[in-house]
């Protein structure tokens, strides 16, 4: 069996690592790793390959950043040639980024089977590009690997045949479980582990593209940082916006950093008092680690993190954000449990399913 894995953006790398390792362990034919180049800064890409023990990509499409249409189209045009050259038996795509849907569309037209890892998640908010990517990718995939049971329900409600759907658990958590022991000796900030602190990440267009709103968020974070130091590794998209409007945080307790590698960030999360984020993956990691997570989005596709885990949806209610941080500091944080099959074995379940085909 010849399998091509398509990855392009930071969260994809965390997901592909355990799947490649599991398929290698099962000796399941030839694996080809293709990087679309959607993320290209070393801090967004290279460092993940190194720290997660992912082999160098066999192919890099070098598409870089562009409008959605141009980025998706470029990936499709370049990936189609790869499919012609390599004739894979299966293409595995990950998550919900533009690289995911672009590769899936190419395969659907060429009748190459696609497996979608992290299928079935829905925010029911079509104003988010990721929701469009999820809906389309799931409709045209032959194998759908879901991280939580709500994923199965969503797919069945969209009339996807039951036989295609496999509840395998969360591959991102596979990586976390494997690498958490390696973070023990990391000290991102001298002395910070002995102090309470929060971690912030923001990169969604709904939070960062409108600069006045981004400015309001920064003001509120500045206020919170008077009670609780905040560490904020900044995504390039957000950095651009902050530079554009010349926003400087006023206090030195709101610490703005460049994006961190996987191990440094995991270590920061593990020791944090609260995570304030709009990322999907961090909502899941917080739930697994049992750390309170306040999500600056109106909804989440990862409903299990709210229903079972530590996540609270804040939306744009920044006053509520302040109140929830106060609650946490007062010892009244939301407690959660670990969702089913978030046990470090999701990738091995995928490998077992592929072996049985
Ligand atoms: C993408 C995904 C998003 C995911 C996120 C994780 C889509 C539609 N969005 O968002 O779902 O949560 O990745 O990080 O696929 N940039 C750089 N260097 C890089 C990458 C990006 O400077 O290595 C800048 C560019 O200005 C670019 C902007 O960030 O225009 C946005 O990058 P893009 O890949 O389009 O989307 P993300 O916001 O990273």
């Amino acid at each position: 069996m010849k399998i091509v894995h398509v990855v392009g953006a930071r969260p994809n790398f965390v997901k592909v690592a355990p799947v490649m390792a599991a398929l290698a362990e099962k000796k399941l034919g030839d694996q080809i790793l293709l990087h679309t180049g959607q993320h290209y800064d070393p801090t967004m890409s290279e460092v993940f390959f190194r720290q997660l023990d992912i082999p160098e990509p066999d192919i890099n499409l070098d598409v870089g950043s562009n409008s959605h249409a141009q980025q998706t189209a470029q990936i499709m045009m370049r990936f189609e040639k790869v499919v012609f050259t390599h004739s894979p038996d299966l293409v595995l795509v990950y998550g919900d980024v533009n690289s995911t849907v672009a590769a899936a569309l190419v395969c659907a037209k060429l009748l190459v089977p696609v497996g979608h890892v992290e299928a079935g998640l829905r925010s029911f908010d079509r104003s988010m590009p990721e929701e469009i990517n999820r809906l389309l990718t799931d409709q045209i995939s032959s194998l759908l690997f879901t991280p939580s049971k709500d994923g199965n329900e969503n797919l069945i409600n969209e009339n996807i045949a039951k036989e295609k759907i496999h509840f395998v658990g969360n591959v991102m958590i596979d990586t976390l479980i494997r690498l958490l022991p390696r973070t023990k000796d990391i000290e991102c900030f001298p002395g910070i582990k002995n102090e309470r602190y929060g971690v912030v990440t923001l990169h969604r267009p709904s939070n960062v593209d409108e600069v006045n709103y981004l400015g309001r968020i920064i003001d509120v974070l500045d206020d919170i940082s008077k009670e609780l130091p905040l560490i904020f590794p900044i995504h390039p998209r957000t950095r651009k916006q902050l530079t554009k409007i010349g926003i400087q945080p006023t206090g030195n307790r709101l610490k703005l950093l460049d994006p961190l590698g996987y191990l440094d960030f995991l270590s920061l999360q593990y020791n944090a008092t609260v995570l304030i984020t709009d990322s999907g993956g961090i909502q899941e990691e917080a739930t697994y680690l049992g750390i309170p997570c306040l999500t600056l989005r109106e909804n989440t596709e990862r409903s299990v993190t709210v229903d079972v885990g530590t996540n609270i949806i804040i939306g744009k209610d920044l006053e509520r954000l302040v109140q929830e941080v106060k609650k946490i500091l007062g010892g009244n944080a939301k407690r959660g449990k670990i969702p089913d099959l978030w046990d470090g074995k999701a990738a091995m379940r995928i490998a077992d399913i592929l072996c049985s085909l």
Side-chain angles (χ1 to χ4, degrees):
M1 176 131 87
K2 193 191 263 187
I3 298 174
V4 174
H5 303 265
V6 177
V7 292
R10 190 166 59 172
N12 293 162
F13 312 142
V14 186
K15 293 164 197 167
V16 78
V19 178
M20 285 193 86
L23 299 196
E25 199 178 318
K26 292 267 172 190
K27 301 197 173 28
L28 207 87
D30 294 336
Q31 302 192 59
I32 297 173
L33 179 59
L34 180 140
H35 190 331
T36 63
Q38 178 174 344
H39 283 175
Y40 45 88
D41 281 354
T43 54
M44 300 289 285
S45 178
E46 224 173 272
V47 63
F48 285 79
F49 280 74
R50 214 174 337 107
Q51 295 190 339
L52 304 180
D53 313 306
I54 308 171
E56 284 276 304
D58 300 288
I59 302 162
N60 195 323
L61 302 182
D62 281 323
V63 292
S65 302
N66 221 317
S67 71
H68 282 265
Q70 295 201 44
Q71 189 177 60
T72 309
Q74 284 294 341
I75 297 169
M76 288 183 69
M77 287 161 66
R78 296 179 197 188
F79 182 57
E80 186 183 48
K81 290 188 186 142
V82 173
V83 176
F84 283 138
T85 309
H86 291 276
S87 306
D89 300 299
L90 176 70
V91 171
L92 287 178
V93 297
Y94 296 82
D96 55 15
V97 301
N98 286 347
S99 302
T100 312
V101 70
L105 261 172
V106 169
C107 293
K109 300 287 176 101
L110 297 177
L111 306 181
V112 173
V114 176
H116 184 201
V117 178
E118 198 188 86
L121 299 185
R122 295 290 180 271
S123 65
F124 304 101
D125 174 0
R126 292 197 183 187
S127 69
M128 287 184 71
E130 292 83 0
E131 184 73 353
I132 307 298
N133 296 344
R134 290 181 204 113
L135 280 159
L136 297 182
T137 303
D138 285 342
Q139 279 297 327
I140 56 183
S141 294
S142 320
L143 289 164
L144 298 111
F145 300 112
T146 62
S148 46
K149 282 184 198 145
D150 52 286
N152 293 49
E153 284 162 27
N154 293 333
L155 295 172
I156 287 165
N157 288 341
E158 288 168 19
N159 298 320
I160 289 173
K162 260 189 181 157
E163 313 80 74
K164 294 183 182 175
I165 308 170
H166 303 272
F167 172 39
V168 293
N170 191 325
V171 291
M172 208 165 203
I173 300 302
D174 288 7
T175 296
L176 186 157
I177 291 173
R178 177 170 71 93
L179 294 182
L180 194 58
R182 276 200 223 165
T183 66
K184 289 245 158 62
D185 300 325
I186 294 179
E187 203 177 16
C188 301
F189 271 92
I192 198 83
K193 279 185 189 170
N194 305 324
E195 216 186 313
R196 295 212 289 187
Y197 66 90
V199 176
V200 181
T201 80
L202 296 171
H203 71 280
R204 298 278 167 199
S206 60
N207 283 325
V208 308
D209 281 7
E210 215 275 282
V211 287
N212 288 333
Y213 182 59
L214 179 59
R216 280 184 49 215
I217 298 181
I218 296 288
D219 287 344
V220 169
L221 293 176
D222 242 347
D223 275 351
I224 293 174
S225 75
K226 289 174 191 139
E227 303 288 322
L228 180 75
L230 293 176
I231 301 175
F232 185 179
I234 303 179
H235 186 287
R237 182 185 197 108
T238 312
R239 170 75 70 187
K240 260 191 195 163
Q241 294 298 92
L242 288 176
T243 310
K244 214 190 269 175
I245 51 177
I247 283 187
Q248 296 289 340
T250 53
N252 64 0
R253 287 167 64 84
L254 174 58
K255 300 170 202 297
L256 303 188
L257 311 181
D258 285 333
L260 294 174
Y262 182 80
L263 294 174
D264 288 339
F265 190 73
L266 181 56
S267 152
L268 258 194
Q269 284 193 90
Y270 183 57
N271 294 291
T273 302
V274 58
L275 304 171
I276 299 171
T277 192
D278 59 11
S279 146
I282 292 170
Q283 295 170 50
E284 297 182 334
E285 289 164 350
T287 276
Y288 182 82
L289 296 170
I291 295 169
C293 179
L294 304 175
T295 297
L296 297 190
R297 282 177 47 189
E298 303 289 353
N299 48 53
T300 179
E301 61 288 346
R302 293 156 214 268
S303 54
V304 74
T305 62
V306 175
D307 298 341
V308 177
T310 55
N311 193 15
I312 296 176
I313 299 295
I314 299 293
K316 296 205 165 191
D317 186 349
L318 298 178
E319 185 44 43
R320 171 138 190 243
L321 174 66
V322 174
Q323 295 312 322
E324 292 294 341
V325 171
K326 280 202 176 119
K327 263 199 215 166
I328 292 164
L329 292 179
N332 297 312
K334 179 183 177 190
R335 293 188 205 291
K337 291 194 194 121
I338 295 177
D340 289 347
L341 301 193
W342 290 23
D343 58 0
K345 297 175 188 153
M348 203 39 96
R349 289 188 194 97
I350 293 174
D352 285 339
I353 290 161
L354 296 182
C355 281
S356 69
L357 290 178

